[in-house]
């Protein structure tokens, strides 16, 4: 199965342009570059559909979006958003739920109506029903105009909660959070790994690849090995982010540290 996926992928690689890779000197410039792409998307299409990420990486971008709204530079009232993932189970208003994260860091600071914001329900009683509901929500909204991604630390190479072993065809599902991710995310739970939920609902790799355009942001040394593996290693389930190389319009925006191990021409 893996080799079938791989040989299928190789055919696609031959047809797909190499991903655009932009390495910038500072994290601030990464945020600005990402903001320019996002702003242009919303200016070109006021009813744009955006897929959004959580985590530390997009915070600078979200701050710029909030600033743009405050200074009346951008209007987000027509925008629809679909979040990549959410822990399960966790009360919706838990300080570390992604629903709360999005409100605190973005939604309470810009003007996207609540009915146009979509995220899996961390408090759903039946997670399987919730994954089915979220998949059908994604389908009824249609493909995103722009997806913002981060990447997991070190060699996890995860995108959303698609951990190592996630297939190219994977869809919205309930997954186990890997031990490495639990360790990395414990910093948000007062450093206590036992507080990190063991499961999550995530968009699959196939859902992510349906976006018309994707930007992956990576900052800092802890991302350097994973970025090298993603861009220069084989395209495989061993590094879910490597599947992005099959997408015709993907841009990796890296700071100097995250891009430091890439082979330069
Ligand atoms: P980070 O997380 O932005 O906090 O580094 C990214 C991820 O785990 O996907």
């Amino acid at each position: 199965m893996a080799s079938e996926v791989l040989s299928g992928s190789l055919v696609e690689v031959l047809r797909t342009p190499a991903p655009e890779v932009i390495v910038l000197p500072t994290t601030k410039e990464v945020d600005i570059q990402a903001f320019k792409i996002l702003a242009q998307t919303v200016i070109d299409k006021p009813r744009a559909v955006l897929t959004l990420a959580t985590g530390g990486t997009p915070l600078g971008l979200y701050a710029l979006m909030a600033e743009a709204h405050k200074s009346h530079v951008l209007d987000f009232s027509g925008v629809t958003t679909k979040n990549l993932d959410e822990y399960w189970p966790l009360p919706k208003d838990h300080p570390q739920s992604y629903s709360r994260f999005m409100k605190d860091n973005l939604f309470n600071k810009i003007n996207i109506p609540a009915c146009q914001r979509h995220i899996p329900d961390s408090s759903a009683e039946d997670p399987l029903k919730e994954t089915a509901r979220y998949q059908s929500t994604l389908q009824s909204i249609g493909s995103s105009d722009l997806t913002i991604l981060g990447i997991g630390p070190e060699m996890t190479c995860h995108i959303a909660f698609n951990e190592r072993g996630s297939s190219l065809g994977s869809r919205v599902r309930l997954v186990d959070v890997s031990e490495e991710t639990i360790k990395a995310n414990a910093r948000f739970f007062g450093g206590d790994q036992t507080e990190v939920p063991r499961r999550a609902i995530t968009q699959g790799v196939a859902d992510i690849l349906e976006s018309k355009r994707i930007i992956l942001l990576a900052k800092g040394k802890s991302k350097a090995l994973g970025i090298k593996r993603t861009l220069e290693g084989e395209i495989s389930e061993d590094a879910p982010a490597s599947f992005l190389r099959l997408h015709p319009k993907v841009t990796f925006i890296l700071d100097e540290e995250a891009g430091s191990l890439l082979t330069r021409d």
Side-chain angles (χ1 to χ4, degrees), residues 54-58 150-153 158 160 185 187-188 223:
T54 51
T57 307
I151 185 170
H158 72 215
N185 290 3
R187 71 190 194 277
F188 298 117
K223 304 295 170 78

Side-chain angles (χ1 to χ4, degrees), residues 19-253:
E20 183 182 25
V21 180
I22 302 173
V23 182
L24 295 165
T26 64
T27 59
K28 185 73 196 167
E29 282 160 280
V30 170
D31 299 336
I32 291 170
Q33 185 68 30
F35 175 71
K36 281 185 187 167
I37 293 170
L38 186 138
Q40 199 57 54
T41 303
V42 174
I43 289 165
D44 290 346
K45 188 174 176 186
R47 298 181 65 78
V49 177
L50 306 177
T51 295
L52 299 178
T54 51
T57 307
L59 285 176
L61 167 64
Y62 294 164
L64 291 172
M65 290 168 72
E67 212 178 300
H69 168 68
K70 203 173 164 193
S71 54
H72 307 288
V73 170
L74 279 182
D75 175 17
F76 293 97
S77 62
V79 167
T80 294
T81 63
K82 309 185 280 194
N83 264 81
L84 285 167
D85 50 12
E86 175 60 288
Y87 287 118
W88 185 89
L90 208 58
K92 259 189 186 172
D93 62 351
H94 186 284
Q96 293 310 327
S97 78
Y98 288 170
S99 154
R100 176 81 177 268
F101 174 100
M102 291 308 298
K103 282 187 189 147
D104 290 349
N105 294 296
L106 187 65
F107 294 149
N108 288 346
K109 301 178 179 183
I110 62 174
N111 62 334
I112 303 176
C115 62
Q116 291 164 212
R117 310 185 308 224
H118 304 278
I119 188 162
D121 182 354
S122 62
S123 65
E125 232 167 76
D126 180 341
L128 298 182
K129 267 196 194 148
E130 179 55 14
T131 56
R133 183 200 67 82
Y134 199 58
Q135 186 82 72
S136 93
T137 299
L138 298 188
Q139 263 153 12
S140 65
I141 294 169
S143 60
S144 292
D145 295 288
L146 179 67
T147 289
I148 312 296
L149 289 178
I151 185 170
E154 305 304 339
M155 292 292 274
T156 58
C157 295
H158 72 215
I159 45 174
F161 274 114
N162 294 288
E163 305 280 14
R164 272 202 293 270
S166 298
S167 74
L168 179 57
S170 56
R171 291 288 180 182
V172 178
R173 64 206 189 285
L174 182 69
V175 292
D176 292 325
V177 179
S178 76
E179 283 307 315
E180 284 156 300
T181 302
I182 288 170
K183 246 187 230 163
N185 290 3
R187 71 190 194 277
F188 298 117
F189 290 82
D192 185 351
Q193 287 182 33
T194 64
E195 289 293 312
V196 182
R198 267 34 193 175
R199 290 198 279 179
I201 294 171
T202 186
Q203 290 194 29
V205 175
D207 299 304
I208 292 169
L209 291 181
E210 278 173 4
S211 182
K212 292 175 192 140
R213 181 163 194 190
I214 298 172
I215 56 177
L216 183 144
L217 316 182
K219 302 169 178 175
K221 268 203 189 97
S222 71
K223 304 295 170 78
L225 269 175
I227 287 292
K228 187 175 177 65
R229 167 68 188 83
T230 293
L231 287 168
E232 297 178 2
E234 72 173 9
I235 296 177
S236 74
E237 296 178 1
D238 188 44
S242 66
F243 287 130
L244 296 173
R245 285 158 53 200
L246 301 173
H247 192 279
K249 205 165 181 203
V250 59
T251 306
F252 287 76
I253 308 175

